[in-house]
């Protein structure tokens, strides 16, 4: 059974204080690892897809990296608008997504 | 990015009634759509996989007679919560898989409250 574990559960940052979120996973046949951002009462918003170990992707203040066992989402110099729950999911060969519980990030001005 | 539309975004109904939620991929064809359920402060739990033109595949523990799924076209899947009860109150989210690239995009979610 595919498993995804995200840490920490919650992260409180001061504006400008860079940090990283972790997503460790076990999956039978990784098709892709996805990062999503979810705001309260909204559906997840797609951020990145990573397909193979060593791959990196960036978008504004966010950078995602992937190894064979885990992925990191780095937030550089975060702003209050980066406050959200960040979800990690792995996609197996049958295209099903298994989600982690998420990391709720709060950035204080 | 690709757009997935869900309707309604929120619905309140009486116990015993049925509620239909629509999920549409607006700018791409989706051979597969997924339906998720999310409880407060918890992650998404996959309920079922909806394939265009065939029966949905339900995850273990999900009652297929309670949650009816129809994927009538490459751009539309519907979830009907039949004879809804208060314990069915939840946030329901659909996702659509883009046919060519295989990426998944989510709808905005539908909050169901059963009184």
């Amino acid at each position: 059974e595919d498993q995804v574990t995200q840490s920490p559960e919650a992260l409180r940052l001061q504006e400008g204080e860079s940090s990283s979120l972790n997503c460790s996973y076990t999956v039978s046949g990784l098709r892709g690892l996805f990062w999503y951002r979810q705001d309260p009462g909204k559906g997840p918003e797609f951020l990145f897809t990573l397909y193979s170990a060593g791959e990196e992707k960036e978008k504004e203040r966010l950078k995602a990296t992937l190894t064979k066992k885990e992925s990191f989402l780095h937030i550089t110099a975060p702003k209050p608008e980066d406050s959200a729950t960040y979800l990690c999911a792995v996609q197996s060969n049958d295209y099903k997504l298994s989600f982690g519980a998420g990391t709720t990030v709060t950035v204080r001005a | 990015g690709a757009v997935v539309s869900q309707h309604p975004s929120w619905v309140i109904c009486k116990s015993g009634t049925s509620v239909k939620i629509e999920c549409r991929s607006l700018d791409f064809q989706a051979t597969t759509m997924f339906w998720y359920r999310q409880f407060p402060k918890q992650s998404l739990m996959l309920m079922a996989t909806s394939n265009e033109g065939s029966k949905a595949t339900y995850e273990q523990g999900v009652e297929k007679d309670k949650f009816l799924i129809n994927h009538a076209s490459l751009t539309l899947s519907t979830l009907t919560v039949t004879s809804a009860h208060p314990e069915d109150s939840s946030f329901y989210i659909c996702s659509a898989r883009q046919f060519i690239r295989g990426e998944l995009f989510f709808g905005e979610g539908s909050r169901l409250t059963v009184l």
Side-chain angles (χ1 to χ4, degrees):
Chain A
E1 185 179 331
D2 301 341
Q3 288 195 335
V4 182
T5 303
Q6 288 187 249
S7 61
E9 287 186 17
L11 189 60
R12 295 177 65 86
L13 301 172
Q14 199 68 31
E15 184 173 5
E17 178 188 359
S18 301
S19 189
S20 292
L21 285 57
N22 177 266
C23 171
S24 61
Y25 65 91
T26 56
V27 63
S28 54
L30 179 69
R31 179 170 285 276
L33 185 141
F34 293 75
W35 282 98
Y36 290 89
R37 169 192 170 125
Q38 187 176 26
D39 293 303
K42 299 284 188 180
E45 175 188 342
F46 172 76
L47 293 174
F48 304 108
T49 309
L50 301 168
Y51 295 101
S52 58
E55 190 174 359
E56 298 183 352
K57 288 192 176 175
E58 287 188 66
K59 179 180 179 181
E60 297 180 353
R61 294 178 292 282
L62 301 176
K63 179 180 178 179
T65 61
L66 180 66
T67 72
K68 288 186 177 179
K69 294 183 179 180
E70 57 191 350
S71 176
F72 292 93
L73 183 66
H74 307 274
I75 309 179
T76 302
K79 298 182 178 182
E81 52 262 43
D82 295 323
S83 297
T85 296
Y86 291 87
L87 299 171
C88 168
V90 294
Q91 187 179 49
S92 52
N93 287 330
D94 60 1
Y95 292 98
K96 286 184 182 179
L97 279 184
S98 297
F99 279 87
T103 295
T104 299
V105 175
T106 304
V107 183
R108 296 166 292 177
Chain B
V3 178
V4 176
S5 173
Q6 233 179 291
H7 178 80
S9 55
W10 59 270
V11 57
I12 301 173
C13 69
K14 293 182 179 180
S15 185
T17 61
S18 295
V19 175
K20 181 185 283 188
I21 301 170
E22 291 187 349
C23 178
R24 294 181 184 272
S25 56
L26 298 184
D27 55 357
F28 66 98
Q29 292 183 330
T31 53
T32 304
M33 291 184 175
F34 299 91
W35 286 95
Y36 293 85
R37 185 172 180 175
Q38 187 176 34
F39 292 103
K41 299 194 176 183
Q42 294 188 28
S43 193
L44 286 75
M45 292 182 57
L46 179 65
M47 298 175 64
T49 302
S50 169
N51 294 298
E52 187 266 338
S54 63
K55 290 183 178 180
T57 303
Y58 291 82
E59 295 301 300
Q60 192 171 12
V62 178
E63 299 177 58
K64 60 181 181 181
D65 294 331
K66 158 70 80 176
F67 300 101
L68 299 179
I69 291 172
N70 183 271
H71 195 152
S73 74
L74 286 172
T75 59
L76 174 64
S77 176
T78 60
L79 168 68
T80 302
V81 183
T82 62
S83 187
H85 288 92
E87 57 265 31
D88 298 325
S89 299
S90 189
F91 193 51
Y92 293 90
I93 308 173
C94 74
S95 69
R97 181 168 75 89
Q98 193 181 43
F99 178 68
I100 295 176
R101 296 175 60 184
E103 292 181 347
L104 284 169
F105 298 91
F106 285 82
E108 284 292 290
S110 300
R111 181 161 302 283
L112 170 64
T113 302
V114 184
L115 302 176

